[in-house]
Amino acid sequence: MCQTAFISQSIIRLGTRSYRHSLEALAPNEYSVLQLRRLNRDLNAFYEFLYSQCNTITEQDYNVFGQQLTSMLNTLKNLYTSCKRIIKECGARAEVEKLKMNYNALYELNSDILNYRIKASNDAEWTALLSDASLALKKVAAHD
């Protein structure tokens, strides 16, 4: 079982920060590269934690935080769009690229959880294919 409450709280915290950052980034003098660097660090840590939990996420877990994660991803995309405008600031280019990479990684992980953990668990054909693949891998490993 994944740590649903912690994931949900993290999404709320990071989503709120991202939204505040996107508003501040609209006024470049109000937004600093240091703020973006800290947010990127926290987004990366969240990604690693969510990735470590993704094999235990159930449909019920995803129902708790899925919409929050989607909303946070939209906010991150808006922040990235705002930050592209202030890229001229010294050192901002690298952090803006890290933000893009964090967004892409979280977007892909969300898609993987949704498609391969939630939807696939309800698909009998997909489950049978995975079972067959697992058996084939075990047979290959037994011959080594």
Side-chain angles (χ1 to χ4, degrees):
M1 175 120 184
C2 81
Q3 298 181 17
T4 308
F6 181 76
I7 292 170
S8 180
Q9 291 168 354
S10 297
I11 292 170
I12 292 168
R13 183 177 48 82
L14 288 167
T16 302
R17 276 178 60 198
S18 299
Y19 181 74
R20 189 175 61 246
H21 283 232
S22 66
L23 291 176
E24 291 171 358
L26 294 174
N29 296 336
E30 300 295 319
Y31 194 62
S32 73
V33 176
L34 184 59
Q35 289 174 283
L36 185 55
R37 186 172 295 132
R38 280 190 224 130
L39 179 63
N40 276 327
R41 182 193 64 221
D42 292 344
L43 287 169
N44 191 53
F46 174 69
Y47 169 83
E48 290 176 10
F49 177 76
L50 187 59
Y51 183 82
S52 74
Q53 297 291 304
C54 71
N55 286 332
T56 61
I57 294 173
T58 64
E59 187 172 359
Q60 293 78 20
D61 296 329
Y62 192 79
N63 287 338
V64 172
F65 66 81
Q67 288 182 335
Q68 294 170 332
L69 184 55
T70 301
S71 178
M72 184 183 82
L73 288 169
N74 290 333
T75 302
L76 287 173
K77 188 174 183 179
N78 290 336
L79 175 59
Y80 173 70
T81 301
S82 297
C83 286
K84 283 194 320 186
R85 293 185 185 119
I86 62 170
I87 210 164
K88 296 172 187 165
E89 185 179 334
C90 181
R93 182 177 304 276
E95 290 303 319
V96 171
E97 283 304 308
K98 287 179 186 176
L99 178 63
K100 181 181 178 183
M101 289 174 18
N102 279 324
Y103 167 78
N104 287 333
L106 285 166
Y107 182 87
E108 285 297 319
L109 185 56
N110 182 49
S111 294
D112 289 350
I113 291 169
L114 188 58
N115 291 319
Y116 300 113
R117 289 291 303 160
I118 308 306
K119 291 180 181 175
S121 66
N122 298 327
D123 185 346
E125 183 179 355
W126 178 254
T127 303
L129 286 172
L130 287 178
S131 179
D132 291 346
S134 178
L135 289 172
L137 286 173
K138 287 179 184 177
K139 287 180 183 178
V140 169
H143 290 286
D144 288 342

